[in-house]
Amino acid sequence: MAYLAGKMVLAVEAGAPNNGKGEDTKARVKLARIRGKRYPYVSAQAARRWLRDGMVELGAVPSPVTRVGKAQNKAQKANTDADPVRYADDDLFGYMRAGAKKDDAATTLRDSPFLLGTLMSVEPVYPTEDFGVMSRGVPEPVLHGHEFYTADLAAPFLLDLPRIGTFTMPDTNGVGRPNYLTAEQALLASEAIQAGATATTFRDQPAVRLPIEERRNRAALLLEALAHLSGGAKQALHYGDRVPALIVMVPFNGGINPLAHCIDGEEGAGLRVRGEVLRQELAAWAGEWQAPVRIGWRPGFRDDLRADFEKACAEEIANETITLAHPRTALRELASDLRGGRLDGWFDDPAR
């Protein structure tokens, strides 16, 4: 296996976890307009920030961020240290660091091994406008307002496990996206913090790869951060739990995510979790995925849907082709298997 495909659902109750551009004195939540109707969403950028913060809470050292341009009256930009060897977040979430033209400095970049879609409401929702006033100790009150909503938000994700801790460079013809300018620089940086980094070829490009122990730990760290996901705007007024209410994960040989129509929504009915669709997708991709399909489902969340799902997939649940647990349990158990070396085959591309 090479990829961990998944889909997750966040249950937002009277919340405003991700705001868009405000209007006058009113804060607006982010909305997508689809066929004339409004679908609240949380951007992938926001959710990835929550994950980064969760990794720091678990002990990861974040890559330092430098902001330049404003003081120099030039184009503003902010960069991390762009060092995926030293910093797990640079490795897992990627970056682009543009070099200064005047110094003829190179641009280095890394595509993110962790791909996350927009957390979109599964059905149309019209946010509530809450009117507020600040009147403490002032003769003339200050008026303000903001929006909030209740919705189930769903998003797909994909984790490219072999790319974790693997950094490609241009070949002798200059083809390929580099993480470093030369192999020598890459190896020097690797050796500075992690003995045993090796030069290799990865997907037909020269590359440097960290030891398997470090790659295991980084994959596990991401899943553990997802298991206690928290964050978002308006927490003082609309505190809410952001741990996924539902998550489905399946390892795949290729970068395919078969879960798009297994978890979706229907106007007027809301969230749908369709066991028969999942069974058909797994049958269509037979030989390309590995059991079990891990499902985390929080107790009390849409018990009616869970009963229907368990009935539709009773055979797969009985033979443990599909496993059901709390999302935190499912994520932490998978993280433990990765960290313990029981799934090391996932960190290499499958032989074809």
Side-chain angles (χ1 to χ4, degrees):
M1 300 296 113
Y3 296 85
L4 182 66
K7 194 160 188 178
M8 63 179 175
V9 176
L10 303 189
V12 175
E13 184 175 353
N18 192 203
N19 290 322
K21 185 178 180 180
E23 298 177 4
D24 297 325
T25 60
K26 184 175 294 181
R28 299 284 192 185
V29 297
K30 288 185 176 178
L31 290 168
R33 287 173 171 79
I34 303 172
R35 292 184 287 277
K37 298 183 179 179
R38 300 176 183 179
Y39 290 74
Y41 69 90
V42 169
S43 70
Q45 179 186 18
R48 283 159 62 93
R49 169 64 187 271
W50 303 348
L51 278 168
R52 285 177 184 262
D53 291 345
M55 288 168 54
V56 173
E57 291 175 17
L58 292 170
V61 177
S63 181
V65 176
T66 303
R67 185 177 188 273
V68 296
K70 186 174 183 179
Q72 296 82 11
N73 197 29
K74 296 179 180 179
Q76 299 179 49
K77 59 183 179 180
N79 297 115
T80 68
D81 262 19
D83 188 346
V85 173
R86 287 186 173 86
Y87 302 109
D89 57 343
D90 273 346
D91 182 7
L92 293 167
F93 297 103
Y95 54 81
M96 184 183 77
R97 184 171 185 171
K101 290 184 179 180
K102 67 180 182 64
D103 298 327
D104 197 27
T107 293
T108 184
L109 58 85
R110 174 167 176 76
D111 293 335
S112 174
F114 177 65
L115 313 179
L116 176 65
T118 299
L119 283 151
M120 184 79 71
S121 174
V122 299
E123 63 178 334
V125 173
Y126 290 87
T128 297
E129 294 189 4
D130 185 43
F131 175 77
V133 58
M134 171 56 181
S135 59
R136 297 189 307 274
V138 294
E140 186 174 347
V142 177
L143 308 181
H144 59 87
H146 71 275
E147 296 180 328
F148 67 90
Y149 60 87
T150 294
D152 294 328
L153 312 181
F157 62 88
L158 189 72
L159 180 59
D160 186 350
L161 286 147
R163 288 191 61 233
I164 296 174
T166 304
F167 314 120
T168 57
M169 296 165 290
D171 61 20
T172 55
N173 296 318
V175 176
R177 293 179 170 180
N179 290 116
Y180 296 93
L181 299 182
T182 66
E184 290 75 17
Q185 287 176 314
L187 286 169
L188 181 63
S190 299
E191 292 166 356
I193 66 154
Q194 187 72 49
T198 57
T200 186
T201 299
F202 180 70
R203 296 176 185 170
D204 297 324
Q205 286 184 243
V208 169
R209 172 168 273 183
L210 295 180
I212 185 64
E213 295 81 7
E214 181 64 19
R215 291 184 282 138
R216 291 174 189 154
N217 288 336
R218 291 183 177 188
L221 181 64
L222 178 66
L223 297 179
E224 289 164 347
L226 186 55
H228 73 225
L229 192 65
S230 63
K234 295 290 183 183
Q235 289 282 350
L237 299 178
H238 295 291
Y239 170 72
D241 189 354
R242 301 293 172 246
V243 173
L246 172 65
I247 189 166
V248 183
M249 299 174 288
V250 56
F252 253 75
N253 280 336
I256 301 298
N257 193 319
L259 304 173
H261 302 297
C262 304
I263 299 174
D264 59 12
E266 183 178 14
E267 187 173 348
L271 182 69
R272 296 191 300 182
V273 185
R274 298 193 281 176
E276 183 57 35
V277 173
L278 176 59
R279 295 177 74 247
Q280 291 181 38
E281 286 283 1
L282 295 177
W285 293 100
E288 296 296 321
W289 59 278
Q290 179 180 304
V293 178
R294 294 167 172 85
I295 297 180
W297 200 315
R298 298 190 76 171
F301 176 70
R302 294 305 304 266
D303 289 334
D304 55 334
L305 295 181
R306 180 164 182 163
D308 291 343
F309 178 83
E310 291 183 1
K311 183 178 179 180
C313 297
E315 180 180 346
E316 288 79 8
I317 293 171
N319 62 29
E320 297 187 345
T321 300
I322 294 174
T323 61
L324 277 162
H326 191 286
R328 179 172 172 81
T329 303
L331 286 161
R332 285 168 60 87
E333 286 181 350
L334 180 54
S336 177
D337 286 344
L338 289 168
R339 186 173 275 119
R342 292 180 286 277
L343 299 172
D344 279 358
W346 290 15
F347 290 91
D348 288 304
D349 287 327
R352 292 292 187 180

